[in-house]
């Protein structure tokens, strides 16, 4: 009984907001003005939920860092941690395949192992020593979030590309002490006015 | 191919492999 989980983990997966696709280097792919507005709306939404967030973990890519910078302003005192594990990539060859997106095979080996490691590292039931329910935010990327959702629900991971996520949207997973997983929301962006919703 | 896809819920899904 000493090694049984007792607490529930709430995982909030946030897709970064709209960014400038023209830059060739990651550092040049910064948020657009609309992207900054979206991040403000996402931060405001998270703050309005009235829960005490334990931490923000974010991808080390520029668009995730900038989204986190803005969200953080709405959640004062919440620590943030950067990780390379959550960087965008090609998690697994999608089924059915798509014609306009064909990464090299080696990309799936590199990114797939890393994104699977991100899933195992961050998505699990609470440790036995965790006494209270936790609320954690992960600011990352569409492919990473879609793969994590498939894996957490034990759905075939190659189906990840059948889902679509808006910029700044909130995906909420609940992991019970029993290990049961519930997807409470997938890509919620209903808190944004329709003319500010994008999927770039 | 990672993960079970049999449709049967694996209640020890996060205990079978090291975390990273």
């Amino acid at each position: 009984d000493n090694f049984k989980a007792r607490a529930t983990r709430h995982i909030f997966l946030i897709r970064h907001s709209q960014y400038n696709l023209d830059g060739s280097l990651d550092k040049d792919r910064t948020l657009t003005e609309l992207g900054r507005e979206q991040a403000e709306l996402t931060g405001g939404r998270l703050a309005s939920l009235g829960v005490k967030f334990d931490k923000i973990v974010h991808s080390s890519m520029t668009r995730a860092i900038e989204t986190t910078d803005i969200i953080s302003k709405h959640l004062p005192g919440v620590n943030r941690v950067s990780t390379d594990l959550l960087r965008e990539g090609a998690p697994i060859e999608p089924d059915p395949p798509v014609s306009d997106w064909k990464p090299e095979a080696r990309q799936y080996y590199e990114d797939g192992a890393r994104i699977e490691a991100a899933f195992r590292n961050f998505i699990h039931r609470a440790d036995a020593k965790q006494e209270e329910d936790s609320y954690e935010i992960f600011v990352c990327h569409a492919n990473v979030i879609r793969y994590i959702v498939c894996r957490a629900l034990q759905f075939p991971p190659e189906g990840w590309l059948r889902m679509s996520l808006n910029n700044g949207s909130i995906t909420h997973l609940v992991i019970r002490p029993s290990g049961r997983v519930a997807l409470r929301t997938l890509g919620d962006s209903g808190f944004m006015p329709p003319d500010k919703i994008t999927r770039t | 191919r990672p993960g079970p896809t049999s449709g049967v819920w694996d209640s020890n899904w996060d205990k079978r492999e090291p975390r990273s």
Side-chain angles (χ1 to χ4, degrees):
Chain A
D1 281 350
N2 291 336
F3 297 99
K4 271 190 181 165
R6 284 167 289 172
T8 293
R9 291 184 74 208
H10 291 262
I11 309 282
F12 293 80
L13 300 155
I14 313 298
R15 188 186 176 203
H16 62 79
S17 46
Q18 191 193 54
Y19 69 107
N20 158 36
L21 285 159
D22 297 335
S24 53
L25 297 172
D26 174 60
K27 71 175 175 61
D28 300 320
R29 298 183 145 208
T30 52
L31 297 189
T32 62
E33 195 172 326
L34 174 58
R36 288 192 291 274
E37 276 184 66
Q38 291 167 337
E40 295 281 359
L41 291 165
T42 305
R45 172 65 166 192
L46 290 167
S48 75
L49 295 178
V51 300
K52 186 186 158 295
F53 287 103
D54 294 274
K55 63 176 171 179
I56 304 175
V57 180
H58 65 85
S59 146
S60 54
M61 293 182 89
T62 300
R63 55 192 185 270
I65 295 169
E66 291 189 340
T67 302
T68 304
D69 289 342
I70 295 169
I71 287 175
S72 283
K73 288 193 303 172
H74 294 264
L75 303 168
V78 182
N79 282 342
R80 47 187 285 185
V81 187
S82 180
T83 177
D84 293 337
L85 284 179
L86 289 172
R87 290 172 74 88
E88 185 59 307
I92 190 171
E93 203 166 341
D95 184 17
V98 286
S99 54
D100 57 341
W101 189 71
K102 287 254 178 239
E104 286 182 49
R106 107 184 142 78
Q107 207 63 43
Y108 290 114
Y109 289 100
E110 286 184 12
D111 296 345
R114 172 178 56 77
I115 297 168
E116 172 65 19
F119 169 74
R120 291 184 193 178
N121 196 51
F122 297 119
I123 310 298
H124 51 79
R125 77 194 69 186
D127 287 329
K129 60 180 182 289
Q130 182 178 323
E131 292 183 353
E132 292 184 9
D133 294 353
S134 57
Y135 298 84
E136 294 158 63
I137 295 170
F138 295 84
V139 181
C140 51
H141 306 272
N143 299 357
V144 176
I145 295 171
R146 292 181 286 184
Y147 179 80
I148 284 176
V149 167
C150 287
R151 292 285 285 116
L153 297 179
Q154 299 184 20
F155 291 166
E158 62 272 23
W160 64 274
L161 198 47
R162 303 170 203 168
M163 291 182 263
S164 178
L165 294 172
N166 293 331
N167 293 111
S169 63
I170 300 173
T171 295
H172 179 183
L173 281 172
V174 182
I175 309 177
R176 299 289 178 195
S178 60
R180 289 192 188 202
V181 177
L183 178 62
R184 198 164 282 181
T185 63
L186 176 73
D188 176 25
S189 57
F191 52 87
M192 291 190 193
D195 62 342
K196 298 204 185 297
I197 292 175
T198 60
R199 281 187 293 114
T200 55
Chain B
R1 159 167 157 166
T5 55
S6 64
V8 177
W9 181 253
D10 173 12
S11 54
N12 286 319
W13 59 279
D14 55 345
K15 295 179 173 180
R16 301 211 187 282
E17 303 285 346
R19 284 211 183 137
S20 58

